[in-house]
Structure formats: C-alpha cells, structure tokens
Amino acid sequence: MASLRYHAGRMVLYEEKPKSWRVKIKTKKGKVDLPLNSLELEPALIEAEYLYADARCLSRNHPICIECIHWLVIKSECGLGIPEGKASGGVWAKDCAYYWEKEN
C-alpha cells in the first residue's frame, strides 16, 4: 500500500485497494479517515486537498480564503470572484458573507 504525506504529515493519501483511495487528516481537534470518490491519483489528491482545507477551517472556526469551500485550489483564486481573495491573500474570508452567514 502506497502512502503519500502532505502538509507536514497532517494529510496522508493512501491506496486502500487497487484503485481505491482514502485520506487521513489530522487537526488539533482530532483525526479523520475518509474514503475518496476518485479512482486515479491526481483527482484523488485534489479531492483530498479540498477535504483537508475544510477540516482545517472547521477546526479553527475562522477560515482564510485558501481554506474556504469556494477557493479553487488549482487556479489559486476565489471561485466566486471575490476580489479580497485575490488581493489580500485571504485575510478577509472570516468576514466573507458567501462563506459565513451574516448575523443580524
């Protein structure tokens, strides 16, 4: 079984059976082991990166753009075209109305 480590070992991508990928993600709040839908390595890695970003965001309660569900990993930009995501490096994501619902 091959395993690939990313993000200083906090994300481990491994092949469970031939053409079946899983990802182990470690955060400060715990560990998760999730199955991936992708059968090939490259799409599995992209899927795992999105899951890793979601897990990191949920564990900290204040995301930055690269951890947002709307962040396009490959293009390195906001999928909704929000300029703050491009210009500031993501420091405004914690206030982004598209990510968090604004309280009245």
Side-chain angles (χ1 to χ4, degrees), residues 39-54:
L39 301 177
E40 300 295 324
L41 174 60
E42 287 184 34
L45 178 57
I46 293 169
E47 185 179 352
E49 286 287 352
Y50 277 110
L51 290 171
Y52 176 76
D54 289 345

Side-chain angles (χ1 to χ4, degrees), residues 20-82:
S20 175
W21 291 95
R22 294 185 69 87
V23 64
K24 290 181 186 177
I25 299 171
K26 298 177 193 173
T27 66
K28 291 180 180 180
K29 292 187 176 182
K31 300 176 186 177
V32 293
D33 189 344
L34 303 168
L36 300 175
N37 295 324
S38 305
L39 301 177
E40 300 295 324
L41 174 60
E42 287 184 34
L45 178 57
I46 293 169
E47 185 179 352
E49 286 287 352
Y50 277 110
L51 290 171
Y52 176 76
D54 289 345
R56 291 280 311 256
C57 173
L58 292 172
S59 71
R60 279 200 279 142
N61 294 328
H62 62 283
I64 58 175
C65 285
I66 59 171
E67 296 170 345
C68 178
I69 58 175
H70 303 295
W71 187 255
L72 302 174
V73 175
I74 299 300
K75 292 183 177 181
S76 191
E77 65 183 33
C78 179
L80 300 174
I82 306 301

